[in-house]
Amino acid sequence: MTERLAAAAATLLGLDLDEGRRVAAELTHLAAAFPLPARLGLGAAGGGLDVAARLLAGGPLARLDQPTREAVCTTLAHRPAGRALVEALKVPLLLAAAAAGPNGGPGGGPGGGPGVRSTVGDLAAPDPELSCVAVDDWPHRSRTDAVVIGSGAGGAMAARELARAGLSVVVLEEGRRFTAAEFRNRRPADRFVDLYRDGGATMALGNPPVLLPAGRGVGGTTLVNSGTCYRTPDRVLRRWRDVHGLALADPEEFGPLLDEVERTLRVAAQPVDVLGRNGELALAGAAALGWRAAPLRRNAPGCAGSCQCAVGCPRNAKNGVHLNALPQACAAGAVVVTGARVDRVVTARGRAVGVRFGRRLLAAPIVVLAAGAIETPRLLFRSGLGRHPGTGRGLAVHPTVSVAGRFAEPVVAWRGVLQSVGVEELHDDGVLIEATAGPPGLVSFVPPGIGRALRAELANADRLATVGAMIADQPGGRVGTRLVRYRLARSDADRLRLAIMAIGRLLFAAGAQEVLTGLPHRPYARDVIELRAAVATADIRQLHMAAFHPTGSAAMGADPQQAPVGPDGRLRGVDGVWVDGVWVADASALPSCPEVNPQLSIMAVALAVGRAAAAR
């Protein structure tokens, strides 16, 4: 498989075969963290290219010269099935090429790029004290007042409230604890596959498929999110209150919860001195258009613009919950068990009894699920608690599209804040634009081209500004025991077209010479007229789609027939009967897409659920 991958790498990235072998070896190393289907898919895709080369050019890919190899792949890319094959290899190869270093990849970036270690200055804060115990050191039989499954945004807040109420609390975390030293001394690409579930290769099947990266470690996805902190919009809260029956979502009730979360995270507007050129161009474009825009509010008071939020801040400047809510929970007596994957929640006669993880049983009358919008419903299914018809359904993902603009002068988008500026002109229409950058190979924007054309794009990546947009989507997804499926609604496809058009206008207004649309049939636009034509004829199914905010798969609500979780966070079983002692306090409980980065919304809901669980 490695030789086939080497030929594929050399072909798609415009390398010689020796460089292709280096990239293939790097990808093999990184792919060890991928789930088995993804690893098999890489091998199959490499084999598919080889078969195509034999059919179209009379020999295996590795024995053809570079122009012939590129011609084979270009021919494939003009056919729907062939395009999917090429793109399935291109994205992971870009990550591997960046990790392989200057010969195999573009390099560049903070401290030299994703293939090298970070040099970003002194720590903004030391690693805090946490009461962490490795699962192998935890007794096989134990008891506590409350167990919280997951240590991310929801789990940390719920654990803190339970512990502060005087209960003994154990937090079970499948991942491990990471330190700032690791973030400083390990390559970003290695951190990427270590910090994300499935090495960052979690997918929702659909047309198009959607990449769903989710953090795994002490602190959950707050370890790797952008640090952006939007308060839940009042219109969303009113919908949750009036349509879904959540009394706690009344803006007058929810506001103080958000205030408390902001104090915990130390949220403030991002200072402009480290914003970076990528964010400055977004502000300039918005100003030229007369659009509402500003630096984002973030939980990163010590940010120095290292642009590595997505692979763990090397300065501890981003205040994930591993730096605040979890230490506060531990100070109140909570303990975090790492490496503990929970197999099932144990119940008897409709009440929580505890949890099993491996060969261990932890008895507890209160069990709080906070494993995230994908893993929480799966745990309910494994536990025989997922028979409510709403469990696993109603998944919204907040899909993202990314567009780039080419400028005459260097932008060096990976110097500055990773997600720096919010443009809210179309937010009421369900489109939230955010200037989001990162080093080549570690960003959601995938440059166009194959072979030498792609190589040229990577060589000039320092002149690209990248801007993304998230759309408020319909709940078109479903979490199953093994697979996640997502169907993009037609109205959401229209929102994606609106988003691409808006970002392109923003970049042209900022002075871009051309826009890289992300649309395979017309990857470049030299002006707004060309962009409009490209968007009008776009097949959204061909987009590279990613989503970072899955929600709603175990939604809260007053209607027992519709919502598997009650308005206070208690779990309902089949026919709406309560499962006493089982609570849900994570993104899965949000009734619908929150229309903004959801960190504050999740933490505020978890704060309320934790208090309600402690009170009972």
Side-chain angles (χ1 to χ4, degrees):
M1 182 181 84
T2 302
E3 192 62 23
R4 288 176 175 174
L5 279 180
T11 305
L12 296 178
L13 303 180
L15 309 172
D16 63 40
L17 280 173
D18 285 339
E19 292 171 337
R21 291 186 183 96
R22 289 182 60 240
V23 173
E26 189 66 52
L27 178 55
T28 301
H29 163 69
L30 296 174
F34 295 174
L36 179 61
R39 297 198 303 273
L40 294 175
L42 283 176
L49 282 185
D50 209 54
V51 169
R54 292 174 187 273
L55 292 174
L56 295 173
L61 202 64
R63 295 184 183 177
L64 305 178
D65 59 32
Q66 178 70 9
T68 305
R69 293 199 306 267
E70 285 189 27
V72 167
C73 290
T74 300
T75 300
L76 275 180
H78 282 92
R79 303 170 183 175
R83 183 184 302 111
L85 187 72
V86 169
E87 296 301 326
L89 278 171
K90 184 175 172 181
V91 174
L93 283 172
L94 285 169
L95 173 64
N103 294 322
V116 300
R117 291 164 180 81
S118 175
T119 53
V120 291
D122 296 335
L123 288 176
D127 293 326
E129 291 188 13
L130 285 175
S131 303
C132 286
V133 179
V135 67
D136 289 343
D137 297 325
W138 191 258
H140 283 76
R141 296 289 184 272
S142 56
R143 180 178 297 275
T144 189
D145 293 332
V147 58
V148 177
I149 302 166
S151 66
M157 288 301 279
R160 189 189 77 175
E161 295 310 299
L162 289 163
R164 284 180 170 178
L167 281 69
S168 59
V169 177
V170 176
V171 180
L172 299 178
E173 168 55 53
E174 182 182 4
R176 64 181 181 87
R177 186 183 184 187
F178 293 86
T179 65
E182 292 182 83
F183 297 156
R184 297 165 75 82
N185 296 322
R186 296 180 66 206
R187 302 183 310 170
D190 289 330
R191 285 146 52 191
F192 179 85
V193 296
D194 206 8
L195 278 161
Y196 288 84
R197 179 176 299 280
D198 296 333
T202 304
M203 297 289 295
L205 301 181
N207 196 8
V210 181
L211 187 66
L212 286 174
R216 184 176 65 175
V218 174
T221 299
T222 72
L223 281 167
V224 293
N225 68 15
S226 63
T228 298
C229 292
Y230 269 104
R231 293 173 73 93
T232 321
D234 281 353
R235 65 176 178 273
V236 173
L237 292 176
R238 287 191 293 268
R239 181 168 66 245
W240 291 354
R241 180 195 63 193
D242 299 340
V243 176
H244 299 278
L246 268 65
L248 71 85
D250 185 281
E252 295 298 320
E253 299 289 333
F254 208 75
L257 297 173
L258 291 170
D259 294 341
E260 170 60 21
V261 172
E262 287 191 324
R263 285 191 294 270
T264 298
L265 297 179
R266 298 175 62 197
V267 175
Q270 175 60 51
V272 297
D273 59 329
V274 296
L275 206 62
R277 188 64 181 146
N278 198 68
E280 291 172 354
L281 288 169
L283 288 174
L289 294 169
W291 287 2
R292 291 174 291 159
L296 289 164
R297 288 172 57 79
R298 306 178 67 238
N299 60 327
C303 180
S306 63
C307 203
Q308 297 192 42
C309 302
V311 286
C313 180
R315 299 185 63 250
N316 270 352
K318 184 184 70 177
N319 279 331
V321 295
H322 61 297
L323 298 179
N324 41 71
L326 276 177
Q328 291 161 8
C330 290
V335 176
V336 181
V337 181
T338 60
R341 175 174 172 78
V342 176
D343 299 310
R344 63 184 290 117
V345 176
V346 182
T347 58
R349 302 182 189 90
R351 296 189 60 85
V353 173
V355 299
R356 287 192 178 276
F357 50 108
R359 299 168 65 182
R360 290 167 170 80
L361 173 64
L362 174 56
I366 297 174
V367 177
V368 180
L369 280 74
I374 306 302
E375 294 304 314
T376 283
R378 286 178 170 171
L379 178 54
L380 290 172
F381 291 140
R382 292 198 301 270
S383 305
L385 300 174
R387 289 174 291 180
H388 189 286
T391 303
R393 298 177 184 268
L395 180 73
V397 299
H398 216 188
T400 300
V401 65
S402 186
V403 177
R406 193 188 317 281
F407 288 80
E409 74 281 0
V411 178
V412 196
W414 51 85
R415 292 180 186 164
V417 178
L418 184 140
Q419 194 166 81
S420 54
V421 167
V423 181
E424 299 182 13
E425 187 67 20
L426 298 176
H427 198 195
D428 291 344
D429 298 317
V431 177
L432 179 58
I433 298 171
E434 294 174 338
T436 306
L442 288 175
V443 292
S444 57
F445 178 76
V446 179
I450 291 172
R452 287 164 292 184
L454 176 58
R455 186 74 175 173
E457 286 291 355
L458 295 174
N460 292 290
D462 65 336
R463 296 182 183 271
L464 295 181
T466 57
V467 178
M470 302 174 294
I471 65 160
D473 59 328
Q474 300 298 313
R478 182 175 182 180
V479 179
T481 55
R482 294 184 179 275
L483 299 176
V484 181
R485 300 182 186 277
Y486 181 75
R487 181 180 179 275
L488 186 73
R490 182 172 297 179
S491 60
D492 293 335
D494 291 339
R495 279 198 178 102
L496 287 170
R497 291 187 179 91
L498 176 64
I500 295 169
M501 191 69 212
I503 298 172
R505 290 181 61 197
L506 182 80
L507 290 165
F508 280 128
Q513 297 175 319
E514 66 177 348
V515 162
L516 285 65
T517 66
L519 301 170
H521 75 302
R522 298 185 74 168
Y524 301 99
R526 291 171 295 180
D527 54 37
V528 172
I529 295 174
E530 288 188 1
L531 177 64
R532 186 174 292 112
V535 171
T537 56
D539 184 349
I540 296 300
R541 295 172 298 179
Q542 296 178 7
L543 283 175
H544 286 282
M545 291 279 289
F548 305 93
H549 307 147
T551 57
S553 53
M556 303 169 79
D559 186 343
Q561 302 305 313
Q562 298 293 323
V565 175
D568 60 353
R570 286 187 292 166
L571 181 69
R572 290 188 176 106
V574 67
D575 297 326
V577 177
W578 298 115
V579 182
D580 288 340
V582 180
W583 303 74
V584 177
D586 61 15
S588 65
L590 302 187
S592 67
C593 177
E595 303 185 11
V596 291
N597 303 61
Q599 180 172 223
L600 298 190
S601 304
I602 295 167
M603 294 179 71
V605 166
L607 184 62
V609 172
R611 289 173 177 173
R616 290 183 68 89

